Amino acid sequence: MNHINKFIFIRHGETDWNALGKLQFHTDNSLNDYGRKQSLQAALILASQNLGALYFLSSPYARAVETADIVTRYIKYSTKTDIKKIKTDKGLAERYGGSLDGMQFSEFEKSTKKLIPEGLMIWDHMKLICPKVECSTSLVARMQKAIEDGYNPKWKEEATLVIVGHLGAMDTFSRLILNQPGVTMFKNATPYLFENTQNGWVITELSA
């Protein structure tokens, strides 16, 4: 990741499962109406940033692709920003959650307290709850490959890579690869600027 100077991350807009407080891993849910409104707001924020050409790379899941589509269509037709065609990469998919997919978060919290020893990072030890859960090592390896493959070092300041994906996947990637502390609660359909500085990676929530 050292050759990458910056990129934008947008978590997909809200789905019905988000609204219901359900864990959402590989179930391919679409956005709800509120999620579509959130995605339009994300487009307004990006359009105000003067980032140059934008290259969109998305998780293949419907909630991410739809978010990217709403954002790119608004920017394309309301500004002169150069928008490249959305590409999808399965490396940006959310973690495989096995039988945890669709579980209420409140029930998941109860399970973690019973089965994961205090002091351990929950997301890195989910196999103690469900052995089929994808491990964090596998998750961040495929994400890093997808991001590095999607980034063109020739862009420099003239273009920006925009990644549209998932909370759990990007949080784990940020923590294990970019050395970000704790759990970063990326908001639905909110753009975040990731910058590679002399003091390490810095994440900034963007606003209009």
Side-chain angles (χ1 to χ4, degrees), residues 38-172:
Q38 290 177 317
S39 300
L40 181 57
Q41 182 61 36
L44 292 169
I45 293 172
L46 272 190
S48 71
Q49 300 299 313
N50 297 318
L51 294 168
L54 300 176
Y55 292 73
F56 278 74
L57 186 65
S58 172
S59 157
Y61 293 151
R63 57 194 186 270
V65 173
E66 188 175 4
T67 299
D69 182 59
I70 291 170
V71 172
T72 55
R73 281 192 290 114
Y74 174 84
I75 294 177
K76 180 178 179 180
Y77 292 110
S78 65
T79 73
K80 296 182 179 180
T81 303
D82 182 13
I83 300 290
K84 300 303 180 182
K85 183 178 179 180
I86 300 170
K87 293 183 178 180
T88 61
D89 193 313
K90 62 183 180 181
L92 297 176
E94 183 59 286
R95 184 196 301 264
Y96 178 71
S99 62
L100 301 181
D101 211 349
M103 178 184 286
Q104 288 290 149
F105 190 75
S106 57
E107 291 300 314
F108 174 70
E109 285 186 312
K110 292 178 182 178
S111 297
T112 62
K113 291 178 180 179
K114 290 180 181 178
L115 299 173
I116 299 180
E118 186 175 355
L120 295 182
M121 174 57 70
I122 290 172
W123 302 107
D124 297 341
H125 295 85
M126 291 170 64
K127 284 183 175 292
L128 295 174
I129 304 174
C130 175
K132 292 186 177 181
V133 169
E134 180 181 12
C135 69
S136 293
T137 301
S138 169
L139 170 62
V140 299
R142 62 173 169 79
M143 284 197 65
Q144 182 168 352
K145 184 178 187 306
I147 294 171
E148 290 182 343
D149 287 351
Y151 180 83
N152 187 337
K154 294 180 181 180
W155 294 342
K156 295 184 179 180
E157 300 303 320
E158 288 74 38
T160 302
L161 174 65
V162 181
I163 297 167
V164 184
H166 307 275
L167 167 62
M170 183 53 79
D171 172 70
T172 301

